[in-house]
Amino acid sequence: MLTPRVLKPSLLRRLWAAAELPPPWRPRILPARTYHPRGYSSGGSSKYDRPMRQFSEQNESTSRPLIYYVAPTLLAFAGIATFVHYNDERRAVPLAKVPGQTSVPKRCNTNRPAIGGPFKLYDTEKIEVTESKLRGNWTLVYFGYTSCPDVGPAEAQKMADVVKLLESKYGIKITPLFITIDPQRDSPAQLKAYLSEFDPRIVGLTGPISAVRQIAQEYRVFFKRIEEVGQDYLVESSHNMYLLDPYLETVRCFGTEYEASYLADAITTEVQKASASSTN
């Protein structure tokens, strides 16, 4: 007869086998359980998940990249620039050749901004002057007024020096044009007396205030009355000189910072460039 110590393990094995139980040394593996806290799950369709999904969708919609705001702004600016350029091309002066004119060089085909336009003013002899009378010659245009205390006289003297340099050094003749922006005070006689102090070859133009405003707008010249005391006042303006070719295209614009020698060299370069293109 077996002892209890021997029977006990044997009986236990049989009982475990009959009950199909795993041995004690083989751990039971249970399926893993996952825990999803309410309101914080990223999937599923539980009603507790809806507030969190709505919150995340709102964050995604509000945190858009910067390109969403920059691109429409750039497109708007591009459209405005295209519209302005199209209007400038429509305002350009027609470059048709005047009948009977044979000495005009070939037109340069490079794209330039549309500055300038038709006008009708009067010179110091009260003779009508239009843009057609300037065709065929190189023209240097300045907008000023005879009562200007400082910049005006300096620019008028610079224009006179440029004319002398071009003729003496390079053998080039241009038409210097002084257009007043103060027609109320700058009569033809006043312009003639003022310009004769610098160079009598400078052509002075004046006219009605509406005509002066029109040509100033065509050449994009700013001017405004300031410091008015009774009949005495100053005129603030953009003191620029414009170089026009024989077709009245504005090929260069010079500010007050340039000296007469620089202007003479720059004008000579443009004239030589136009002459070279006419021979090709």
Side-chain angles (χ1 to χ4, degrees), residues 162-173 260-269 271-272:
V162 169
V163 173
K164 294 175 183 177
L165 281 173
L166 289 173
E167 290 189 0
S168 62
K169 187 176 181 180
Y170 302 103
I172 298 174
K173 292 184 178 182
S261 58
Y262 176 86
L263 265 67
D265 293 339
I267 293 172
T268 302
T269 301
V271 172
Q272 293 174 351

Side-chain angles (χ1 to χ4, degrees), residues 245-267:
D245 66 6
Y247 282 100
L248 298 186
E249 279 196 352
T250 303
V251 295
R252 291 293 298 269
C253 178
F254 305 102
T256 57
E257 67 273 15
Y258 298 108
E259 298 180 355
S261 58
Y262 176 86
L263 265 67
D265 293 339
I267 293 172

Side-chain angles (χ1 to χ4, degrees), residues 89-236:
E89 287 184 345
R90 295 182 62 186
R91 290 194 319 109
V93 181
L95 296 175
K97 191 173 181 181
V98 178
Q101 187 174 350
T102 58
S103 60
V104 179
K106 185 179 179 181
R107 178 191 175 190
C108 182
N109 293 324
T110 57
N111 294 325
R112 300 190 182 108
I115 300 178
F119 65 87
K120 185 174 69 173
L121 298 173
Y122 298 90
D123 62 11
T124 56
E125 303 299 329
K126 300 182 181 181
I127 300 175
E128 183 180 285
V129 177
T130 63
E131 73 282 356
S132 62
K133 292 187 177 181
L134 301 178
R135 292 182 184 272
N137 300 310
W138 289 85
T139 308
L140 187 62
V141 183
Y142 175 71
F143 291 83
Y145 65 108
T146 61
S147 302
C148 185
D150 44 17
V151 181
E155 293 300 293
Q157 184 61 55
K158 182 192 299 184
M159 179 178 283
D161 294 340
V162 169
V163 173
K164 294 175 183 177
L165 281 173
L166 289 173
E167 290 189 0
S168 62
K169 187 176 181 180
Y170 302 103
I172 298 174
K173 292 184 178 182
I174 64 171
T175 301
L177 203 63
F178 185 100
I179 301 176
T180 180
I181 53 176
D182 186 18
Q184 290 90 340
R185 294 184 295 186
D186 289 346
S187 62
Q190 174 68 17
L191 273 176
K192 184 176 182 179
Y194 177 79
L195 296 175
S196 62
E197 297 180 2
F198 303 98
D199 195 318
R201 291 172 293 184
I202 301 178
V203 179
L205 295 182
T206 186
I209 183 62
S210 59
V212 172
R213 285 176 179 171
Q214 177 186 346
I215 190 173
Q217 290 176 357
E218 293 291 346
Y219 284 89
R220 305 181 186 183
V221 175
F222 165 80
F223 69 97
K224 177 184 178 182
R225 281 189 183 185
I226 59 173
E227 301 180 13
E228 295 190 40
V229 180
Q231 297 297 325
D232 190 16
Y233 56 86
L234 297 177
V235 180
E236 183 182 5

Side-chain angles (χ1 to χ4, degrees), residues 38-59:
R38 294 180 179 180
Y40 293 93
S41 62
S42 59
S45 60
S46 174
K47 65 179 180 179
Y48 299 105
D49 299 336
R50 295 174 185 173
M52 194 59 192
R53 287 202 306 271
Q54 295 176 358
F55 177 76
S56 61
E57 291 174 357
Q58 292 176 359
N59 285 345

Side-chain angles (χ1 to χ4, degrees), residues 52-69:
M52 194 59 192
R53 287 202 306 271
Q54 295 176 358
F55 177 76
S56 61
E57 291 174 357
Q58 292 176 359
N59 285 345
E60 291 178 358
S61 61
T62 55
S63 60
R64 292 180 177 179
L66 185 61
I67 189 64
Y68 281 89
Y69 306 96

